[in-house]
Amino acid sequence: MTSQHPPGLALSQYVDSELPADRREEVSRHLGHCGECRETVDFYRRLSTAAGEPREVTVPDVADRVLRRRRDLRTSGDRTLAGGDAQNGARRRLAMVASVTAALLIGSYLILAPSATAHRSSLRFESSLPQPGDVVDVEYSPSTLLATRDSLRLRIRARKAETPFPRQGVIGELRTVTLYPNEAGRFESQVEVRPGDVYLAAAVEDFEGENVDTNLGRLWDVLVADSSGHPKMAALESKYRVLEPYNWVAASAWAAEAAEQYPDNPFGWTLLYVHQSRAGALPLSDSLSRFHRAKLSELAEDFERRSADELEWLALYAQLQGSQELRELVLEELAELDPANPSVVRWRIEEALRECGPEYTCRLARLDSVWVEISQPDESVAQFGLTTAALAGDLELMRRWTSRARQVPRISLSSLADKLDPFSGMTLERLELRRTRIEELESLDDSDRPLRLTVGEFRNAVRDTLRAERAKLGVDFATVGDTVEALSAFAEGSEYAWRPEILKPYVNLLLATGDTATAAPFVGLLLADPLVGEEIENTYRFLQFTGEQLPALEREYQRRVQSSVVRGRRIPADITVSLLNGETRRIGSLAGAATVFFLWEPDLPRADRLLQDFDEVDPGLWDAHGIQRIVLIHSPEPPDVDSGPPVVLDAEYELSQHLGAYRLLSYVVVNPELEVVAQTSDVTTAFRLASAISNQAQ
Amino acid sequence: MAGRLQLPSERLSGPGVLGRRKERGSASICNTEEGGRDKGLVAADLERILSGDEEAFRRIMKEFSPLVFSVALGITQSEADAEDVLQEVFIRLPAALTTFRWGDFSAWLKKVATRQALMWMRTEARHQRNATSFVQGERVEAQTLSRIVVDRAVSQLDPALRTVYVLKEMEGLTHAEIAEAMEISINLSQVRLFRARAALRAIIEPS
């Protein structure tokens, strides 16, 4: 290291005394004989000195303005509350003082955070199954944060009948209604159910939009009934889709409830299966498997009488349980009722792939007839056609598929919006967050880690190779296959800390050619990264095209792990951490078995749900696979964990830094050699990866 | 669950940081720890603010305006914007206090000011107003690297780099605190500081 210059970052850290002792020595020695680096270090020091000098500035006095603004905010509103204002204000202030005093009595230091026994808010719709045209009274019992306001805003997302599952459609029409205080100390208003509404979900916020009450992510909702008094299928689906991204536990509960309340409808049972098997990750017990098989037979008995919606769910139920024949029967029936149904379209594409194999002309011919058959622009078909034509290198066909793709209605914005929290309004922040994450991944190159290739070099190599292949006219599968081989060898041969943004284009190419076998292990790796989570749905769809099952994916992953494609940074064994019971533990003691760390932070929107997941996945199962679990926290407030994995306090972020954890509420998987293997925000994925590593180690 | 953790002693803004400041003989405008009131009095005033006590609020604003203004000015590079941010921070202070956990109020307030300033930049889409013309190519003699020169150069930095630089070198936050305020990783904070220094060098000593 003394023969060449240390990286710039190291010099910067040296100036701040942030290097570990051995590195500091090395840099020091280097500085002894390198004028250039000495000048750099000198400059940084002088810069620091100058930056720390005092600056003459007049600090404005904003006190009057601030107090006036706050008074205005308190008294203004949509209407003057006759007589109630001062009284309500005083009552609320007393309530606040009382709660603060109570808090003081609890501890000898001032805790200004809402305590766990804080009042839980609730929202009540006066009718539980209203019909279009009804006007429904609504009453809100406020949370502590919102109780002091003079009026509140009710934000409603109304789903309409024409938003079918499973497309990522628009998240729903936004309506707002003002809530006014009533004599009972609650807030009330009226909500109109309009024609076409199937499902309403609501949250409450103050008018500055700063404090939102989403009922811990569950929202408050009401299903809309049809004229016979039953909720439509779209209503059931809407409720699930609203819950699922925020609160897995509540979504599970809803699935069970739907199965119980509407037992003839495949919807509830299918979702129940999904949740019980953790989307295919955990094997169902024999009795549960038998139960679902029997239920499937029962529901399928006279499937010809069912509606298109129900058939779609039935087909999925069959597919999940591996009943391909039944699935095809159901899909054929569905195709007659609704030829443009997305499940049908996907199945047709599947068939094309299966029957044609790698021959592009055959595939393109089949896709052509699918397009004509469904007689309306479909995104999946268009995308697939376009990619296949591009790989075939057929310009004429590429032009044709491009113009078809342009006919597809632009739903991309809505599907992007769908993935954002509809009630936070923090769109810009989220987008910026993504940019920061990408910057972070790139920043890893500047740090002092041993890499044979930089991110840029590998990316360029992939791109150049692919470009060379496509430049030849009439690209055939064999050539692409060679490309794939070459890339594969490339990735395996280099001692390379795995980078998702490098693998993605590679995986997409493989999937586009239908080579799911080679793609499978890399898909597994991509699943582990929260950054690419949004693309995983597309990936899964591709996998479903050939009926690939998740267990096969896992097996491939294990094989790849054995050939050491996956590497990560190593955590120093001598870091010591403190458990909440006062014991200390050396990280080195974790070596020899796989570990999953869960980074927990109170008050973030999904904190409770994720901790429950971590806790609830059967502890015996983790033990049976020899996986160690640790909850990592940064603030002194301990989480509420019963059977508990040990909880470790990392107030200085030291351990987190080594885990490379850039995201709170995520799981970090560490292998028996104390190398970080992956990070994910899904407990199921964390479990699968950890068990794959564990089993491979044994 | 086992009983509550024995809390570590309250962390000051770092004797190291204060110590460095004292060495330079600075009377920087962030002097709340040195000449500030007793922490218990501050805590009592914070509690009173929640009950609507305006006098307590005035005291807090008087004492902590320099701290907040300094952070806001460093990030927005405009006195007018910094004043707006200063106002916004205090208008929101009572609501924000409900999320303030036990700890160092000054450090927490700096984080709040940081977030508010960053949000301000974003929503108002402010550009770098402070284009005080810095004569390019004018070499600065080694001895004359002063605060004014640094300020001018800093105003030309990319906002993400500038924020980290200002918070670390002028406001004395640690990388961990910066990471928390900006919602980035500690590693990224260190990398951005390095990039800022390199960029400043290119601006001040182009060669």
Side-chain angles (χ1 to χ4, degrees):
Chain A
M1 202 53 192
T2 45
S3 53
Q4 51 185 126
H5 301 297
L9 176 64
L11 292 179
S12 174
Q13 288 171 310
Y14 177 81
V15 165
D16 296 331
S17 304
E18 280 162 3
L19 288 175
D22 53 348
R23 286 287 285 131
R24 192 169 57 233
E25 282 254 351
E26 271 179 47
V27 172
S28 219
R29 273 200 301 270
H30 174 80
L31 291 176
H33 61 259
C34 174
E36 193 183 317
C37 288
R38 256 203 315 276
E39 267 182 34
T40 305
V41 164
D42 187 50
F43 179 81
Y44 292 166
R45 284 201 175 119
R46 285 188 290 124
L47 201 56
S48 280
T49 310
E53 283 169 17
R55 158 176 62 181
E56 286 304 313
V57 143
T58 323
V59 180
D61 180 5
V62 297
D64 289 332
R65 271 175 283 162
V66 168
L67 290 169
R68 203 178 334 123
R69 266 283 286 282
R70 287 195 52 82
R71 275 181 232 128
D72 287 346
L73 282 174
R74 273 202 302 276
T75 58
S76 83
D78 288 345
R79 61 178 195 195
T80 344
L81 307 168
D85 186 29
Q87 245 182 330
N88 280 339
R91 217 182 299 144
R92 265 177 247 123
R93 270 197 292 276
L94 281 174
M96 281 305 295
V97 170
S99 69
V100 168
T101 316
L104 280 178
L105 290 172
I106 290 170
S108 58
Y109 41 81
L110 187 63
I111 304 177
L112 296 173
S115 69
T117 54
H119 168 68
R120 275 290 295 277
S121 59
S122 68
L123 184 85
R124 238 176 28 90
F125 289 92
E126 170 244 357
S127 160
S128 60
L129 262 184
Q131 294 188 3
D134 286 350
V135 176
V136 178
D137 285 337
V138 145
E139 198 188 36
Y140 174 65
S141 179
S143 62
T144 322
L145 275 179
L146 294 178
T148 54
R149 304 294 199 230
D150 295 326
S151 60
L152 295 170
R153 183 158 58 200
L154 183 68
R155 283 177 79 104
I156 300 171
R157 286 281 172 187
R159 292 218 169 200
K160 316 291 282 183
E162 59 279 1
T163 316
F165 175 86
R167 251 192 277 255
Q168 296 272 21
V170 177
I171 49 179
E173 199 179 273
L174 175 65
R175 299 176 199 157
T176 58
V177 164
T178 306
L179 291 163
Y180 297 106
N182 60 20
E183 284 104 23
R186 295 191 264 273
F187 293 80
E188 66 183 22
S189 191
Q190 291 181 326
V191 166
E192 201 189 312
V193 181
R194 299 187 193 159
D197 284 351
V198 294
Y199 176 73
L200 305 177
V204 180
E205 63 179 17
D206 57 21
F207 275 93
E208 289 91 352
E210 277 167 20
N211 296 302
V212 188
D213 186 355
T214 60
N215 189 22
L216 294 179
R218 252 181 251 126
L219 307 175
W220 290 280
D221 59 20
V222 67
L223 298 173
V224 175
D226 59 25
S227 51
S228 69
H230 294 123
K232 297 188 175 155
M233 175 71 90
L236 303 177
E237 291 166 1
S238 294
K239 175 157 178 164
Y240 180 76
R241 286 205 81 72
V242 165
L243 286 173
E244 197 261 342
Y246 301 102
N247 195 325
W248 173 270
V249 173
S252 290
W254 168 237
E257 198 185 316
E260 197 181 347
Q261 278 187 29
Y262 311 105
D264 185 48
N265 192 328
F267 166 78
W269 299 109
T270 310
L271 284 178
L272 197 58
Y273 184 94
V274 167
H275 282 259
Q276 283 172 341
S277 66
R278 294 280 179 169
L282 300 183
L284 288 185
S285 64
D286 283 342
S287 58
L288 262 184
S289 297
R290 274 197 301 272
F291 173 84
H292 279 289
R293 272 212 187 283
K295 183 56 67 178
L296 177 62
S297 300
E298 188 191 315
L299 291 170
E301 247 179 51
D302 48 352
F303 66 85
E304 294 89 350
R305 65 168 168 94
R306 290 189 178 278
S307 67
D309 286 331
E310 290 180 356
L311 285 174
E312 228 186 326
W313 282 104
L314 193 59
L316 183 57
Y317 199 27
Q319 182 182 359
L320 289 171
Q321 297 191 55
S323 300
Q324 288 305 327
E325 264 186 47
L326 177 58
R327 176 178 174 243
E328 287 189 13
L329 280 175
V330 171
L331 284 173
E332 266 169 22
E333 180 71 26
L334 179 58
E336 276 178 44
L337 288 178
D338 180 13
N341 184 292
S343 298
V344 170
V345 167
R346 277 204 292 277
W347 175 51
R348 294 256 190 266
I349 297 178
E350 225 180 276
E351 277 186 331
L353 285 183
R354 199 172 41 233
E355 289 170 17
C356 292
E359 287 188 37
Y360 288 133
T361 28
C362 172
R363 284 186 185 181
L364 286 168
R366 290 297 300 269
L367 286 174
D368 221 41
S369 63
V370 171
W371 183 266
V372 168
E373 233 175 80
I374 60 177
S375 71
Q376 65 189 60
D378 178 271
E379 200 192 356
S380 316
V381 184
Q383 265 187 11
F384 210 71
L386 190 53
T387 324
T388 314
L391 281 165
D394 186 326
L395 289 176
E396 185 46 52
L397 285 175
M398 281 169 69
R399 279 193 206 104
R400 187 191 307 177
W401 279 102
T402 304
S403 67
R404 281 176 174 171
R406 289 215 178 94
Q407 296 169 38
V408 175
R410 308 251 356 132
I411 64 168
S412 54
L413 281 179
S414 332
S415 54
L416 177 66
D418 211 348
K419 295 177 178 84
L420 302 171
D421 179 350
F423 288 92
S424 72
M426 294 291 185
T427 312
L428 278 176
E429 267 203 20
R430 284 296 185 102
L431 291 177
E432 190 163 310
L433 219 50
R434 269 199 68 119
R435 248 190 311 120
T436 309
R437 301 287 181 244
I438 292 171
E439 199 187 336
E440 289 199 27
L441 277 179
E442 286 173 1
S443 79
L444 289 172
D445 283 331
D446 285 341
S447 58
D448 206 17
R449 315 219 187 276
L451 288 179
R452 261 232 240 129
L453 291 172
T454 64
V455 166
E457 281 168 11
F458 188 77
R459 190 187 285 146
N460 286 339
V462 169
R463 197 170 42 223
D464 289 341
T465 315
L466 290 179
R467 201 180 289 149
E469 293 306 319
R470 286 202 202 107
K472 300 178 197 162
L473 289 172
V475 171
D476 62 24
F477 184 65
T479 319
V480 175
D482 289 342
T483 307
V484 160
E485 280 301 312
L487 290 173
S488 207
F490 212 80
E492 281 179 294
S494 62
E495 282 168 24
Y496 184 77
W498 164 69
R499 293 272 186 271
E501 80 273 26
I502 298 308
L503 286 180
K504 256 190 306 183
Y506 174 25
V507 168
N508 287 337
L509 172 65
L510 290 172
L511 292 174
T513 61
D515 187 358
T516 53
T518 312
F522 295 101
V523 171
L525 295 179
L526 286 174
L527 280 174
D529 188 273
L531 250 194
V532 302
E534 292 161 29
E535 305 209 8
I536 286 309
E537 282 215 34
N538 285 324
T539 310
Y540 263 122
R541 261 181 240 154
F542 274 111
L543 288 178
Q544 279 167 12
F545 287 160
T546 55
E548 196 80 35
Q549 298 295 318
L550 286 174
L553 198 110
E554 254 188 73
R555 277 197 301 275
E556 246 320 287
Y557 176 78
Q558 286 192 27
R559 194 183 73 74
R560 293 280 167 157
V561 164
Q562 272 169 357
S563 58
S564 304
V565 168
V566 177
R567 283 205 191 286
R569 71 174 71 82
R570 193 174 287 237
I571 318 172
D574 54 12
I575 291 183
T576 315
V577 293
S578 312
L579 302 184
L580 286 198
N581 58 11
E583 289 174 21
T584 57
R585 225 176 141 175
R586 218 175 133 262
I587 287 294
S589 66
L590 292 174
T595 313
V596 172
F597 288 87
F598 176 47
L599 277 54
W600 191 78
E601 177 73 15
D603 290 347
L604 291 182
R606 295 178 304 141
D608 294 331
R609 162 203 152 186
L610 287 171
L611 186 63
Q612 256 176 313
D613 281 355
F614 197 49
D615 205 17
E616 273 177 13
V617 173
D618 183 3
L621 205 55
W622 295 95
D623 292 338
H625 286 260
I627 304 168
Q628 303 169 115
R629 288 179 300 159
I630 293 188
V631 175
L632 197 63
I633 62 176
H634 297 125
S635 69
E637 186 78 33
D640 194 12
V641 173
D642 285 324
S643 54
V647 179
V648 151
L649 177 67
D650 185 32
E652 304 298 317
Y653 289 88
E654 190 192 5
L655 184 55
S656 302
Q657 195 176 355
H658 285 289
L659 290 173
Y662 52 75
R663 187 178 168 120
L664 295 167
L665 298 186
S666 66
Y667 304 90
V668 179
V669 180
V670 172
N671 70 14
E673 288 80 41
L674 295 184
E675 285 172 344
V676 174
V677 166
Q679 300 173 49
T680 174
S681 41
D682 175 50
V683 66
T684 305
T685 308
F687 172 78
R688 285 187 351 225
L689 286 171
S691 67
I693 293 167
S694 253
N695 296 334
Q696 174 252 323
Q698 278 154 15
Chain B
M1 193 56 230
R4 274 178 183 261
L5 175 71
Q6 185 62 39
L7 299 162
S9 57
E10 187 173 10
R11 188 158 56 89
L12 305 174
S13 280
V17 171
L18 276 183
R20 283 218 309 268
R21 294 214 176 285
K22 282 186 174 138
E23 272 163 27
R24 293 186 203 129
S26 78
S28 90
I29 65 177
C30 303
N31 64 351
T32 48
E33 283 79 25
E34 298 171 44
R37 290 185 295 152
D38 176 73
K39 283 193 174 52
L41 290 178
V42 169
D45 270 347
L46 292 177
E47 179 209 331
R48 288 188 192 108
I49 287 177
L50 286 179
S51 325
D53 182 340
E54 290 195 352
E55 281 316 304
F57 206 164
R58 279 186 191 278
R59 283 195 292 272
I60 292 291
M61 281 195 271
K62 176 145 185 257
E63 179 166 350
F64 292 100
S65 280
L67 179 151
V68 174
F69 190 69
S70 175
V71 169
L73 186 59
I75 293 176
T76 61
Q77 292 291 308
S78 145
E79 295 203 17
D81 287 342
E83 185 169 332
D84 287 333
V85 170
L86 176 63
Q87 245 183 271
E88 292 300 313
V89 167
F90 284 126
I91 289 171
R92 285 166 167 68
L93 184 66
L97 276 176
T98 55
T99 63
F100 171 51
R101 309 220 146 228
W102 163 94
D104 183 349
F105 180 67
S106 298
W108 176 83
L109 192 58
K110 283 185 195 172
K111 283 183 225 160
V112 170
T114 303
R115 286 200 196 111
Q116 194 62 43
L118 289 174
M119 229 186 335
W120 186 264
M121 302 265 288
R122 219 177 292 142
T123 58
E124 301 289 327
R126 308 253 166 210
H127 304 290
Q128 287 184 3
R129 286 205 199 141
N130 248 19
T132 37
S133 57
F134 187 90
V135 182
Q136 281 292 345
E138 184 185 23
R139 274 208 72 103
V140 179
E141 288 303 304
Q143 286 76 22
T144 63
L145 189 55
S146 66
R147 174 72 194 241
I148 296 178
V149 168
V150 174
D151 277 345
R152 276 204 211 136
V154 161
S155 76
Q156 295 181 41
L157 287 180
D158 171 83
L161 301 184
R162 178 172 73 224
T163 305
V164 172
Y165 190 79
V166 161
L167 292 175
K168 184 84 174 46
E169 300 270 83
M170 295 166 179
E171 299 300 327
L173 293 187
T174 63
H175 280 299
E177 287 166 336
I178 295 172
E180 200 186 336
M182 296 181 70
E183 292 179 322
I184 58 176
S185 68
I186 294 176
N187 183 61
L188 184 57
S189 182
Q190 291 175 331
V191 167
R192 279 186 182 172
L193 178 68
F194 156 61
R195 285 185 186 153
R197 283 172 165 161
L200 287 170
R201 190 173 187 199
I203 294 170
I204 296 175
E205 286 184 355
S207 50

